[in-house]
Amino acid sequence: MLLLSALISGLGLGSMYGLMALGFYVTYAVSGTVNFAQGSSMMLGAVLTSSFAQTLGWPMGAAIMLALILCALYGWLVEVLAVRPFVKRNSDAWLMATVAMGIVLDNLVMFTYGKEPRNLPSPLAQTPLTVGDFNLGVYPLQLLIPVVGLALAALLHTTSRRTRWGTAMLAVVQNRSAARLMGIPIRRAVALSFALSALFAGIAGVLIAPLFNVQADMGTLFGLKAFAVAILGGIGSAWGVMLAGLLFGVVEALITSTLGSGYTQILSFALVIAALAWRPNGLFGRAEVKKV
């Protein structure tokens, strides 16, 4: 039962990593850049939902909806302010600029929301699941998170293959010049990818908030792990990063349950390094073939 509990908990946590890693995939696929403020976007989703629902007393549905819209708007601002000006000049300074945007947001939230951790109550995270008389130690929400994560990965995959918008995004990826000649708005497509990236992170923040304390710096470590998951899965594969997230979460949970939390970060990141040494393009990625 202890192993089952760790497995369910790991799948929930891994799905959250996978959702955030999907954001890295989207921006990389469309623009060749990533949003290193992804952890801050996750934090923003959790903090805004908590503020709207608890401080302002809004219905939870309305609080989540507005929080996610504002997360998407933040992602769009990251692209406009921290990525686009540098990409125009063929500069890689967007790497530091997106990190800076995340730090700015974290500190703004700390000064307005406060330093003290808060909780976000949810009926799905109050009563642990039981099998007979045995308490599994996991909540229904931890079963819901993998369902949402896999559903969003499937939706993203289907959208990119079966819709006009998805086809346009793929055209931008394959050949920007040709896409521009076909009338596809390149800037809008890239900005939309960053908005979608932050939206995925916001959804992860909303889902995970009832299980963790909500605070200004909650996204820092999660963002780092999500980027590791994106690289581990093969950042060019939507299904790859989602599956890598699930794998990473399960491994983390198993290490914690068997050896203790003190070994979790050491061993999980050591395994990431070993996996990338074995498969440099990620577990589910493929090496790019360049025509000369």
Side-chain angles (χ1 to χ4, degrees), residues 156-179:
L156 183 62
H157 178 79
T158 303
T159 300
S160 65
R161 294 288 187 273
R162 304 281 180 87
T163 68
R164 187 174 179 181
W165 175 82
T167 304
M169 296 288 270
L170 288 175
V172 174
V173 176
Q174 293 171 4
N175 192 319
R176 283 198 176 201
S177 299

Side-chain angles (χ1 to χ4, degrees), residues 5 7-16 19 42 46 49 60 64 119-130 136-150 202-214 218 246:
S5 176
L7 182 62
I8 295 173
S9 176
L11 287 174
L13 195 58
S15 298
M16 190 272 299
L19 273 175
M42 174 211 150
T49 301
M60 184 60 74
I64 292 173
N119 65 336
L120 182 64
S122 168
L124 296 176
Q126 290 180 350
T127 306
L129 295 169
T130 57
L136 289 178
V138 296
Y139 298 100
L141 182 59
Q142 290 170 286
L143 292 178
L144 176 64
I145 296 174
V147 174
V148 173
L150 291 171
I203 293 172
V206 170
L207 288 172
I208 211 73
L211 303 173
F212 291 85
N213 288 326
V214 179
M218 66 180 291
L246 294 173

Side-chain angles (χ1 to χ4, degrees), residues 8 19 51 79 217:
I8 295 173
L19 273 175
S51 298
E79 194 279 328
D217 61 351

Side-chain angles (χ1 to χ4, degrees), residues 4 9 31 55 77 98 132 137-138 143 168 177 192 197 218 246 270 278:
L4 179 61
S9 176
S31 67
T55 306
L77 284 174
T98 55
V138 296
L143 292 178
S177 299
L192 184 60
S197 170
M218 66 180 291
L246 294 173
W278 171 49

Side-chain angles (χ1 to χ4, degrees), residues 47-59 62-64 66-68 70:
V47 166
L48 288 176
T49 301
S50 173
S51 298
F52 295 150
Q54 293 185 289
T55 306
L56 300 181
W58 290 10
I64 292 173
L66 183 56
L68 294 180
L70 291 175

Side-chain angles (χ1 to χ4, degrees), residues 264-290:
T264 303
Q265 313 304 341
I266 298 171
L267 293 180
S268 58
F269 279 101
L271 288 172
V272 168
I273 294 170
L276 291 176
W278 171 49
R279 290 185 62 86
N281 296 298
L283 297 178
F284 308 100
R286 290 181 296 179
E288 293 183 5
V289 178
K290 294 184 178 180

